[in-house]
Amino acid sequence: MTDQHAESARGPGAGPGAAGPGPDGSGFTYHGAEEELIVLARPEAQLRVQTDGVRSAAGTDVSALNMFLGDEQLTLEPLFGSEERLRGVSEAAEAGADFPDLALFYRVRGGTDRTQELRARIAALPGIVTAYVKPGAVPAAMPEESDEARRMKEKTAATPDFTARQRYLGPAPEGVDAYWAWQRLGGSGEGITVIDVEGAWQLGHEDLSAKLAGIVVGTPISDVAWRNHGTAVLGVIGGDRGEFGVTGIAPEAVTAAASFQGVGTAAAIFAATERLSPGDILLIELHRPGPRFDYAARDDQRGYIPLEWWPDDFAAIKYATSKGVVVVGAAGNGAESLDDALYERRPDEFPSWWHNPFNPSNKSSGSVLVGAGAPPPGTHGRDHGPDRSRLSFSNYGARLDAQGWGREVTTTGGSWDRPGDLQGGSEEIAWYTDTFSGTSSASPVVVGALASLQGMLKAGGQRPMTSQRAREVLRATGSPQQDAPGRPASQRIGNRPDLKAAVTNVLPSSVGSGQAERYWDELLPYPPELPPRIRLFVAGAWRNLTNPSPDIRQAVHSAFAGGRPDVRVWFSDDEIVGLVITG
């Protein structure tokens, strides 16, 4: 690639915060993602798909639809499951629920090489409102540029401890203050489940064994680049706590995977939602080519936007947030202002009820959208611009809620379609990278912080955050976005999460705090049926910490044994809901 071509791919203002479009500045394409042909049926037709074709429960003539499907050897399948199973969801939609009727969405199987032609023909048939084609979804990852410092390292006998390279775990403003959160009850994500929606993962990785629950839907894409991407995401969120490799921001959270291959993105989001409880988190690590370049796939990812632009994905996300699940999505690497008037124009193929989901004045999906910010200058010896400034590839706009590290993220997995640049070798289960990037790396940073917060709320007996509440907390707290030359903070990607600051926002006012003056360790409780506990004298009364872990018990002992204990306690009545030990 010539310098001229490299500048064209990077766009104006290349330099810190910019990068070439591929691992070597030469372009990169994820393989395996297919277009999806989505059909929206008329409510009054009451379509029902059966083994021998389509019928109408309302008596509508659907012979033309069945003839078309038969002649073209196509299959129509309900996108979110059988219409009868969705009856309760449909009734909720008719009663005014804040999401479209999921029973009206269908996916066409077959004819993958003629989707646009088939779209126009099926949209004109009786019983059909419209049909549209969704470009293939790909991970929202951006490459780092190659240099001598990133050569593959041969796998050593024992994987070293890489946590010192994970500066995003550290105190704000550089990190999210995960180390502080781990000292609090629930702050490691205890009791929270996170499902990652994308394409593939290395589920046998040596550093993902403790809390990984496997794949809940779909078939993983058989491609090492997709596998490296998903593995990197899981490592940021839930890498095992131990003496080697990395540690996730919420290492005690349960992580699981949902592949869109074989089912489509909206169906994968819906199926993942059905496996989650209120307060759990669903992460969407994908983006698609948008209208800027007429939905065309590009190696440089310019013009790529979040999935919620498409009606069926929006409906699935809205369904998830209405169920109390926190949804987090990558904002995309398209270098787009999502405030642009381009996004106010409804595509002709979209239903009439569709409105621009990026305009905060319109109905929102409720998801948290995450942009990519620069890491602190000097991280891994490199400079991407001022800390927390927008990276040039990151989409931006009023709709974005928060940012995470968009460069230099140390985690599990290899580098693009190659072995790990931090640790490589022949064993894929022991690959690590120092260069996970894009809104794909930023989003799991935010997810890890939210899982930590949800764990603290759960441990304190409080109601977990909804997706909307999570958005409010992320916007009200955190380390502010910074200006960069040509990329002012007015190009909004939001704040970087700060767990210590966020805790004061989410904990109720009934929670008090104070310095522990003395302690009493009940090794043998009385009566004996009581659980073991540590009692701390705080704010004039004894407060109880039940079932303390051995680490917490030892930390309390050590703090008081030193003569000048620094033990900060949060309590509700006589129960301790948070604990920070610094000396």
Side-chain angles (χ1 to χ4, degrees):
M1 173 181 273
T2 66
D3 290 341
Q4 180 181 0
H5 288 158
E7 177 62 25
S8 173
R10 297 181 188 188
D24 298 310
S26 58
F28 186 86
T29 300
Y30 283 95
H31 300 285
E34 297 181 349
E35 292 182 329
E36 297 178 48
L37 176 52
I38 305 299
V39 171
L40 190 61
R42 296 188 180 280
E44 61 272 17
Q46 298 183 36
L47 297 187
R48 300 290 186 270
V49 173
Q50 299 177 319
T51 55
D52 58 348
V54 180
R55 71 176 182 87
S56 167
T60 301
D61 183 2
V62 292
S63 58
L65 175 59
N66 278 313
M67 184 177 299
F68 171 77
L69 294 172
D71 289 347
E72 297 293 341
Q73 296 185 318
L74 303 175
T75 302
L76 196 67
E77 64 178 30
L79 187 59
F80 299 112
S82 73
E83 301 94 342
E84 293 300 328
R85 191 173 71 84
L86 288 171
R87 180 176 295 173
V89 177
S90 301
E91 291 171 352
E94 292 172 1
D98 202 18
F99 54 87
D101 187 348
L102 302 184
L104 302 179
F105 289 93
Y106 294 84
R107 184 182 182 186
V108 176
R109 295 283 192 179
T112 54
D113 56 340
R114 299 186 297 128
T115 51
Q116 288 296 346
E117 174 199 341
L118 296 172
R119 182 212 66 76
R121 292 173 62 190
I122 198 169
L125 294 173
I128 304 301
V129 173
T130 189
Y132 54 90
V133 176
K134 294 162 56 177
V138 297
M142 286 296 289
E144 297 277 7
E145 296 170 303
S146 297
D147 60 28
E148 292 300 313
R150 302 179 203 191
R151 288 182 175 174
M152 182 187 75
K153 298 180 180 179
E154 287 302 317
K155 172 74 170 68
T156 55
T159 298
D161 184 352
F162 296 129
T163 53
R165 304 183 69 84
Q166 295 179 267
R167 290 176 62 183
Y168 57 87
L169 298 175
E174 292 189 348
V176 301
D177 227 338
Y179 292 126
W180 177 86
W182 295 343
Q183 299 176 71
R184 294 180 54 85
L185 290 177
S188 296
E190 290 89 341
I192 304 302
T193 298
V194 179
I195 296 182
D196 174 34
V197 178
E198 50 176 298
W201 308 261
Q202 174 48 265
L203 300 180
H205 197 280
E206 65 177 9
D207 215 1
L208 298 175
S209 61
K211 293 290 183 177
L212 185 58
I215 298 173
V216 299
V217 66
T219 304
I221 296 173
S222 298
D223 182 83
V224 68
W226 283 88
R227 210 157 53 240
N228 279 338
H229 183 277
T231 306
V233 169
L234 294 181
V236 174
I237 299 166
D240 294 346
R241 201 192 323 249
E243 297 180 355
F244 69 89
V246 299
T247 302
I249 297 173
E252 296 302 319
V254 173
T255 53
S259 176
F260 71 91
Q261 181 174 244
V263 297
T265 54
I269 292 166
F270 179 81
T273 299
E274 296 293 83
R275 290 159 174 79
L276 294 172
S277 301
D280 288 336
I281 302 173
L282 189 153
L283 170 60
I284 302 171
E285 276 286 308
L286 302 163
H287 62 174
R288 279 196 180 90
R292 176 69 65 192
F293 300 105
D294 198 25
Y295 303 99
R298 298 167 57 102
D299 285 359
D300 63 6
Q301 303 182 16
R302 293 289 300 277
Y304 281 44
I305 57 175
L307 263 58
E308 65 179 49
W309 169 261
W310 286 269
D312 57 316
D313 289 311
F314 179 92
I317 294 168
K318 188 64 185 174
Y319 174 73
T321 58
S322 74
K323 300 282 284 185
V325 173
V326 176
V327 179
V328 178
N333 303 336
E336 285 286 296
S337 168
L338 299 183
D339 297 332
D340 195 286
L342 169 69
Y343 297 105
E344 292 297 328
R345 296 197 289 272
R346 178 175 64 86
D348 294 340
E349 301 86 359
F350 283 9
S352 59
W353 50 257
W354 179 92
H355 295 285
N356 174 16
F358 308 143
N359 184 339
S361 299
N362 295 332
K363 182 185 298 184
S364 171
S365 71
S367 72
V368 175
L369 279 190
V370 179
T379 302
H380 304 156
R382 293 180 280 272
D383 183 359
H384 298 280
D387 185 29
R388 307 187 307 283
S389 62
R390 182 181 75 85
L391 291 166
S392 64
F393 60 78
S394 178
N395 289 341
Y396 58 94
R399 175 65 179 83
L400 272 69
D401 299 296
Q403 65 165 290
W405 278 35
R407 292 287 192 197
E408 309 297 341
V409 172
T410 301
T411 184
T412 48
S415 178
W416 290 85
D417 59 346
R418 306 171 184 179
D421 52 281
L422 182 58
Q423 177 167 280
S426 60
E427 300 177 53
E428 186 179 328
I429 62 171
W431 288 354
Y432 294 82
T433 180
D434 240 355
T435 56
F436 188 36
S437 304
T439 51
S440 273
S441 68
S443 298
V445 170
V446 173
V447 166
L450 290 175
S452 175
L453 285 171
Q454 297 286 60
M456 292 185 226
L457 287 168
K458 192 167 187 176
Q462 308 298 322
R463 180 175 298 177
M465 294 181 290
T466 63
S467 205
Q468 181 57 39
R469 177 61 177 146
R471 295 181 65 197
E472 293 168 356
V473 170
L474 290 169
R475 286 171 174 260
T477 63
S479 304
Q481 180 180 346
Q482 301 297 302
D483 291 323
R487 303 188 304 279
S490 58
Q491 297 178 344
R492 177 183 172 83
I493 58 172
N495 301 336
R496 177 181 295 157
D498 175 354
L499 284 167
K500 189 181 294 185
V503 163
T504 63
N505 189 289
V506 299
L507 284 178
S509 57
S510 61
V511 174
S513 64
Q515 202 79 13
E517 301 174 35
R518 52 189 185 274
Y519 83 106
W520 173 19
D521 192 348
E522 284 189 343
L523 297 175
L524 296 174
Y526 184 83
E529 59 268 18
L530 289 177
R533 60 182 179 173
I534 288 179
R535 308 191 71 194
L536 295 167
F537 194 82
V538 184
W542 287 99
R543 320 288 179 179
N544 303 315
L545 177 60
T546 58
N547 290 314
S549 68
D551 289 345
I552 290 178
R553 173 173 274 126
Q554 182 59 47
V556 170
H557 283 224
S558 299
F560 280 89
R564 300 183 63 184
D566 186 6
V567 180
R568 186 78 174 176
V569 178
W570 282 259
F571 56 88
S572 179
D573 296 323
D574 64 345
E575 292 295 319
I576 294 172
V577 298
L579 185 66
V580 175
I581 304 169
T582 57

